[in-house]
Amino acid sequence: MASPAQLDQKFWTGFARNIWEKKPLALKNVQSSLREISADEIFKLLVLFADRCRKLNDSEGFKFYIDGFKADPEEVLQVLPEKSDKSLLGYHERMKALFPDYCLVCDELLQVNLSKQHLLTDFTDQLYQHVGFPNRFSEMGLYLGNYRKTPFGVHVDSCGVFSFPVVGKKKFRLWSPEYVKKNPSLDRAFSYEKHKKHSELLEAGPGDITYWPSSAWHIAESDGSFSATWSLGVWVDKSHKEMVTETLKSLLDSHSETLSSMGTTRFKTRHNQSGEVTELPPAYQQSIEMLQKMTQQELQETFLKSWMKHISSQGFKTIPHTTLKLTAKSHISLRSTKSPILWQQSQISKSKVYFSFGGALIEGTKGSSLHKLILSLNAGKSCQVDKKDLQVLQLLADAGAFSRGEVIL
Ligand SMILES: [Fe+2]
């Protein structure tokens, strides 16, 4: 068998230029870090996640479809993988006996075991480097079952999708947006025989990768045999304009002392006799003054803080759950040296710094013990928690920044 294809710089440059958001792609036998997660490990992650759901009596994170119909959350708890299934195929045997057509979806499975997360970020980091960081986020789901068609029929999402089959063969049938516009009956369709000749079929097995752009209408097809597939959706439905609007809104919110919270606006005259409006009420005059006083530095700092907070989530929707409880004696180190705690110097107050991890944003003092500790952690060292920094470090721990470090005697 030929050695796996490498996703090297040359590949990604070509991908960004010719494929991304333009056309589908099927790659055979690719060397991707995600291949390092075996079917056995996936099964163990599923059981771990399912055990947590059963314990909390909440199936959040799992979806289950029977004959294309979504099961109720209470029902989902009854059909999740169990340790006694022993393997993905064991789980499938149990399900198959109950349901001739089922589909289990687990969102964000990799969040269960953070030690495996870098296998995903190795892939997404390369992707983002070449096509840009998603303004919304990426989502990694696991789809498994013997379902013959995607439970919701032919559809389109606002995300580009990479699929990585783990077990079994996957087939995805795609149509262009132009074709579906002319043939609207394809929307949510399960039978589309006459449209097949206008579709493109992507086929993939374990080790292969497929991609389709966010505009592609698609449906998964199978002959009813078992398959398990990773699916990475990269959402592209949030514009730069929306990002800027959000940041400006939070900036204006921070100026609430100037911006009146009154529900009415006082005025002298609304319009003159001819109906012409010329007079701006005083509240607006004040707001203009406030906007004019905003400095380049303040805008720079606001946008940089907002960008730092955004990229601190590494492009993922959910922040991983961690249960690391710190004490003043804890030794901690970064969970991954590839995921440092981000920080920036304030442009306005030279003594102020901001730290960010996993969507959390924390204010600190430049050169403080906390700042020094974070720089040491980012340099790959294991550090002891200082009592006075405990509270702030716990926030970063909750956001998934740390693992317990080696105790240095
Ligand atoms: Fe989809």
Side-chain angles (χ1 to χ4, degrees):
M1 196 173 168
S3 58
Q6 301 290 324
L7 299 185
D8 52 14
Q9 290 296 319
K10 194 172 156 231
F11 165 80
W12 283 114
T13 310
F15 179 85
R17 189 184 306 134
N18 308 318
I19 307 291
W20 172 250
E21 282 299 85
K22 289 194 181 93
K23 57 184 179 197
L25 178 72
L27 292 168
K28 294 278 169 214
N29 193 20
V30 182
Q31 181 56 55
S32 104
S33 48
L34 282 163
R35 277 176 88 164
E36 288 173 36
I37 316 177
S38 66
D40 254 3
E41 284 173 301
I42 291 172
F43 173 71
K44 283 186 188 129
L45 285 176
L46 280 169
V47 172
L48 206 65
F49 198 176
D51 282 345
R52 185 194 288 168
C53 288
R54 282 183 283 260
K55 198 172 155 198
L56 299 170
N57 201 22
D58 180 357
S59 63
E60 173 92 45
F62 280 109
K63 283 180 282 218
F64 196 81
Y65 297 87
I66 305 161
D67 294 325
F69 291 99
K70 198 173 172 186
D72 292 334
E74 312 82 68
E75 266 180 284
V76 176
L77 283 174
Q78 310 298 317
V79 293
L80 296 179
E82 289 168 15
K83 198 178 173 195
S84 56
D85 292 324
K86 293 202 172 78
S87 67
L88 288 179
L89 282 171
Y91 171 69
H92 172 60
E93 288 303 318
R94 183 161 66 89
M95 287 299 111
K96 192 174 72 173
L98 298 167
F99 315 108
D101 186 300
Y102 76 94
C103 169
L104 177 73
V105 183
C106 182
D107 295 321
E108 310 285 332
L109 182 62
L110 284 175
Q111 304 285 17
V112 184
N113 185 341
L114 296 176
S115 68
K116 296 286 173 197
Q117 235 216 351
H118 69 278
L119 299 174
L120 175 57
T121 50
D122 280 354
F123 182 86
T124 50
D125 285 352
Q126 284 292 325
L127 173 70
Y128 300 164
Q129 191 67 45
H130 289 85
V131 306
F133 198 90
N135 292 340
R136 197 171 298 284
F137 46 66
S138 296
E139 273 178 301
M140 182 68 155
L142 184 79
Y143 287 68
L144 61 122
N146 59 356
Y147 56 107
R148 286 169 186 273
K149 297 265 169 74
T150 301
F152 22 93
V154 178
H155 67 284
V156 68
D157 312 289
S158 299
C159 56
V161 175
F162 294 88
S163 295
F164 310 81
V166 182
V167 182
K169 285 256 177 244
K170 263 327 251 200
K171 284 184 191 174
F172 302 104
R173 194 173 286 283
L174 314 176
W175 287 269
S176 70
E178 296 78 26
Y179 185 79
V180 179
K181 201 169 180 189
K182 279 185 223 140
N183 297 277
S185 62
L186 264 172
D187 190 354
R188 305 275 145 179
F190 288 96
S191 47
Y192 38 75
E193 204 52 44
K194 66 175 181 175
H195 298 293
K196 269 188 175 173
K197 58 178 180 290
H198 299 283
S199 69
E200 184 174 345
L201 192 64
L202 300 183
E203 287 185 75
D208 303 339
I209 298 181
T210 63
Y211 164 79
W212 64 78
S214 63
S215 60
W217 288 73
H218 55 275
I219 187 164
E221 295 177 352
S222 101
D223 59 2
S225 51
F226 178 69
S227 68
T229 303
W230 289 116
S231 165
L232 176 74
V234 184
W235 291 81
V236 292
D237 60 339
K238 189 170 177 183
S239 65
H240 175 67
K241 188 176 127 189
E242 279 178 77
M243 303 288 282
V244 172
T245 309
E246 274 178 17
T247 305
L248 286 180
K249 189 178 177 303
S250 68
L251 177 64
L252 293 177
D253 285 343
S254 71
H255 280 272
S256 53
E257 75 288 353
T258 321
L259 297 170
S260 165
S261 57
M262 298 261 284
T264 57
T265 303
R266 292 186 174 276
F267 61 92
K268 283 201 190 105
T269 51
R270 284 189 282 183
H271 53 78
N272 67 19
Q273 258 185 334
S274 76
E276 189 188 7
V277 179
T278 56
E279 196 187 281
L280 197 57
Y284 283 97
Q285 299 286 5
Q286 276 173 21
S287 302
I288 291 173
E289 276 166 35
M290 186 271 287
L291 289 169
Q292 281 173 328
K293 272 189 212 147
M294 254 178 218
T295 60
Q296 158 77 17
Q297 277 178 325
E298 190 175 359
L299 288 171
Q300 175 83 19
E301 170 153 329
T302 305
F303 282 113
L304 193 61
K305 241 161 65 182
S306 145
W307 168 246
M308 177 170 79
K309 187 165 177 261
H310 181 61
I311 57 173
S312 78
S313 295
Q314 296 185 297
F316 292 108
K317 184 182 178 183
T318 46
I319 295 165
H321 302 268
T322 45
T323 48
L324 184 59
K325 282 282 159 257
L326 301 182
T327 67
K329 290 204 172 71
S330 300
H331 279 81
I332 49 170
S333 56
L334 282 187
R335 179 165 53 78
S336 159
T337 47
K338 284 185 186 168
S339 311
I341 293 161
L342 304 180
W343 69 280
Q344 70 181 81
Q345 155 99 55
S346 166
Q347 308 281 311
I348 298 157
S349 162
K350 292 293 171 205
S351 62
K352 213 187 265 181
V353 281
Y354 298 103
F355 306 105
S356 190
F357 195 94
L361 185 75
I362 294 151
E363 197 181 302
T365 308
K366 194 183 175 190
S368 62
S369 62
L370 178 67
H371 191 192
K372 284 178 187 154
L373 179 95
I374 285 175
L375 291 177
S376 291
L377 289 167
N378 284 355
K381 292 185 185 137
S382 175
C383 303
Q384 188 171 2
V385 172
D386 193 324
K387 197 178 171 190
K388 66 176 185 300
D389 300 326
L390 192 58
Q391 216 177 353
V392 170
L393 289 170
Q394 186 62 55
L395 289 175
L396 294 168
D398 292 344
F402 309 127
S403 54
R404 213 170 276 285
E406 298 286 311
V407 176
I408 302 157
L409 298 169

